[in-house]
């Protein structure tokens, strides 16, 4: 429950910041150009910190990384409020730190879930976490809009800081930590990894030596060496690379079509903003329904089912392309919402199950860096492409890629069960529920 509360608070804080900054544009505290710079700074901070956070969460305590990342984001939001409309450098620095806190938290929370939750309950736990985030994203805009009547932007930003404090302080302690667990496993057998020597009942990691009961001498591997180790671990799982490639394609095309083309189609084709609001609401409601379903659903070919769900996002850009009633657009976005959670929850659960525990945070950081990190690049390319080629051909390409990328990923043998060992079979627990 404490872990769920912390991840929910971090998800709500992550969602709320751009929305509150958007309110600052509406009340003329900042301009649209400043908003763009602040969101870019937050994204840059996220991308840097998600890589660093993955290494730190595998090197030290995952709970400690969540604590310090949450505290950093909590400290940044009052500084952002202080600089609002007064100091652009202060706002940019604060936005970058807030994005850094968000980025460092993501892989640490993923790995912490694997430490805290038993394997046979992780899919339900992951579904509960995504359910809470979707629920807050559905109710958050209206709640924030209501609060804006009685609170100014400065106070709302302080509220985001409080959410980050909850994310930092509420989650309970995890296990002994990935590095400690790995060393303890090696200590019993006097195991050696890296280029060191061992005597007695100790273990060595990296380029150092262990003597007696495990006193370490020598240097720890560099940050880049440890990050490269995470890359090598990811390469050991072909299903992970294939699924990550498909997810990156869908997010950078399908999500971008949502962000750029949906408002244009709502305005120009249907002559109303209702379609935009209804489609986004339907997407969130669909995601809520998908999270409820996947909390208990255990298909035998879970990887194929997840990739099929990811492919459903292709109906979103396809609906914008076809000459259909706006009701079909809304229905398509509901289907896309269902599908994205049919993918997300098994994807997170499989990563927590299959990846070596002492490398889980680094592999998770690679996931977030590529899938969500490249989303801004997709947005930056889609808008000029629509201006140059027109909406119809761009939407057709986006829909085709959303359908094709998961289908290609499914051709990888281990993708059937999201499992390197025994491709096509779930774990014994999963098969029992199939």
């Amino acid at each position: 429950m404490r872990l769920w509360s912390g991840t929910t608070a971090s998800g709500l804080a992550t969602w709320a910041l751009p929305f509150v900054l958007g309110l600052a544009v509406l009340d003329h505290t900042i301009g649209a150009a400043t908003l763009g710079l602040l969101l870019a700074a937050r994204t840059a901070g996220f991308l840097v910190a998600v890589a660093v956070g993955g290494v730190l969460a595998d090197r030290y305590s995952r709970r400690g990384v969540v604590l310090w990342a949450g505290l950093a984001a909590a400290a940044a939001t009052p500084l952002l409020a202080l600089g609002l409309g007064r100091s652009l450098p202060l706002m940019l620095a604060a936005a970058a730190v807030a994005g850094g806190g968000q980025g460092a938290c993501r892989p640490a929370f993923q790995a912490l879930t694997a430490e805290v939750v038993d394997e046979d309950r992780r899919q339900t736990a992951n579904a509960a976490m995504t359910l809470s985030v979707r629920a807050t994203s559905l109710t958050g805009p209206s709640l924030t809009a209501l609060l804006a009547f009685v609170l100014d932007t400065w106070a709302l930003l302080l509220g985001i800081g409080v959410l980050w404090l909850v994310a930092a302080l509420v989650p309970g302690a995890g296990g002994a930590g990935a590095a400690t667990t790995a060393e303890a496993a090696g200590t019993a057998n006097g195991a050696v990894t890296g280029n060191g020597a061992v005597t007695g009942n100790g273990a060595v990691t990296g380029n150092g030596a262990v003597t007696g009961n495990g006193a370490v001498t020598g240097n720890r591997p560099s940050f880049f060496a440890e990050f490269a180790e995470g890359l090598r671990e990811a390469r050991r799982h072909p299903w992970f690379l294939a699924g990550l490639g498909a997810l990156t394609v869908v997010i950078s095309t399908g999500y971008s079509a949502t962000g750029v083309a949906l408002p244009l189609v709502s305005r120009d084709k249907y002559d109303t903003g209702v379609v935009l609001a209804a489609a986004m609401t339907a997407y969130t409601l669909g995601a809520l329904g998908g999270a409820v379903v996947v909390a208990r659903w255990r298909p035998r070919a879970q990887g194929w089912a997840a990739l099929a769900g990811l492919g459903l996002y292709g109906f979103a850009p396809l609906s914008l392309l076809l000459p259909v009633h706006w009701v079909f657009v809304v229905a398509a976005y509901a289907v896309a919402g269902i599908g994205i959670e049919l993918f997300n929850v098994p994807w997170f659960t499989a990563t927590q199950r299959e990846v070596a525990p002492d490398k889980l945070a680094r592999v998770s950081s690679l996931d977030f860096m590529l899938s969500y990190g490249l989303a801004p690049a997709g947005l930056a390319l889609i808008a000029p492409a629509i201006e140059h080629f027109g909406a119809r051909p761009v939407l057709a390409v986006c829909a085709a890629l959303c359908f094709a990328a998961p289908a290609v990923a499914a051709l990888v043998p281990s993708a059937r069960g999201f499992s390197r060992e025994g491709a096509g079979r779930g774990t014994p627990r999963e098969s029992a529920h199939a």
Side-chain angles (χ1 to χ4, degrees):
M1 183 64 182
R2 294 175 63 184
L3 178 62
W4 178 86
S5 300
T7 54
T8 300
S10 71
L12 183 55
T14 297
W15 164 85
L17 182 58
F19 188 85
V20 172
L21 291 176
L23 293 178
V25 174
L26 293 179
D27 64 18
H28 304 290
T29 303
I30 60 174
T34 300
L35 174 62
L37 290 173
L38 292 176
L39 295 180
R42 188 180 80 143
T43 300
F46 173 89
L47 291 175
V48 172
V50 76
V52 176
V55 172
L56 294 179
D58 280 341
R59 179 185 289 184
Y60 304 111
S61 162
R62 277 81 184 261
R63 179 64 186 90
V65 172
V66 168
L67 172 64
W68 290 107
L71 290 177
T77 47
L79 294 178
L80 182 57
L82 185 64
L84 205 62
R86 299 183 182 90
S87 172
L88 180 59
L90 179 59
M91 287 191 294
L92 290 175
V97 173
Q102 173 195 349
C105 271
R106 294 297 291 269
F109 267 127
Q110 283 294 102
L112 188 60
T113 300
E115 289 184 4
V116 172
V117 182
D118 294 336
E119 183 179 337
D120 57 349
R121 299 172 58 197
R122 283 180 199 156
Q123 183 153 326
T124 302
N126 286 323
M129 291 176 187
T130 193
L131 189 66
S132 67
V133 172
R134 296 297 183 185
T136 54
S137 66
L138 179 65
T139 59
S142 56
L143 177 61
T144 305
L146 289 174
L147 290 174
F149 282 107
V150 294
L151 300 174
D152 58 16
T153 305
W154 195 86
L156 292 174
L157 286 172
L158 291 183
I160 295 174
V162 172
L163 288 173
W164 277 117
L165 281 177
V166 172
L169 300 176
V170 168
T180 304
T181 302
E183 289 177 7
T187 299
N189 298 316
V192 180
T193 60
N195 298 319
V198 63
T199 61
N201 294 321
V204 62
T205 59
N207 298 317
V210 176
T211 59
N213 292 321
V216 180
T217 62
N219 298 320
R220 182 186 293 274
S222 68
F223 167 83
F224 295 103
E226 292 197 48
F227 187 76
E229 190 178 14
L231 293 178
R232 287 192 294 272
E233 173 65 19
R235 289 171 56 189
R236 290 182 57 247
H237 304 276
W239 64 268
F240 178 83
L241 297 179
L244 180 56
L247 178 61
T248 301
V249 169
V250 170
I251 288 180
S252 58
T253 57
Y255 277 29
S256 298
T258 295
V260 177
L262 178 59
L264 297 177
V265 171
S266 180
R267 182 195 65 190
D268 300 336
K269 184 176 178 180
Y270 298 104
D271 195 27
T272 176
V274 173
V275 177
L276 171 62
M280 295 310 299
T281 302
Y283 176 81
T284 304
L285 289 173
L288 284 168
V292 171
V293 170
V294 80
R296 299 186 62 84
W297 187 37
R298 303 293 191 277
R300 288 188 180 276
Q302 192 166 59
W304 282 359
L307 289 169
L310 181 63
L312 293 177
Y313 205 96
F315 288 108
L318 184 63
S319 69
L320 301 179
L321 171 67
L322 298 176
V324 296
H325 191 275
W326 64 266
V327 171
F328 290 95
V329 175
V330 175
Y333 272 86
V335 169
I338 293 171
I340 202 66
E341 293 308 334
L342 293 182
F343 174 84
N344 276 341
V345 174
W347 173 255
F348 290 143
T349 305
T351 303
Q352 292 160 352
R353 181 187 68 237
E354 298 292 326
V355 173
D358 60 324
K359 301 177 183 67
L360 176 56
R362 279 169 284 178
V363 173
S364 295
S365 71
L366 179 65
D367 178 0
F368 295 124
M369 284 175 61
L370 291 181
S371 58
Y372 294 97
L374 290 179
L379 285 170
L381 293 175
I382 289 290
I386 288 178
E387 285 189 14
H388 184 74
F389 299 105
R392 290 181 63 85
V394 173
L395 288 171
V397 170
C398 288
L401 288 173
C402 287
F403 288 130
V408 172
L411 298 177
V412 175
S414 58
R416 179 176 180 179
F418 278 172
S419 175
R420 185 167 176 266
E421 299 295 333
R425 300 192 308 270
T427 63
R429 290 187 182 93
E430 291 172 332
S431 298
H433 291 283

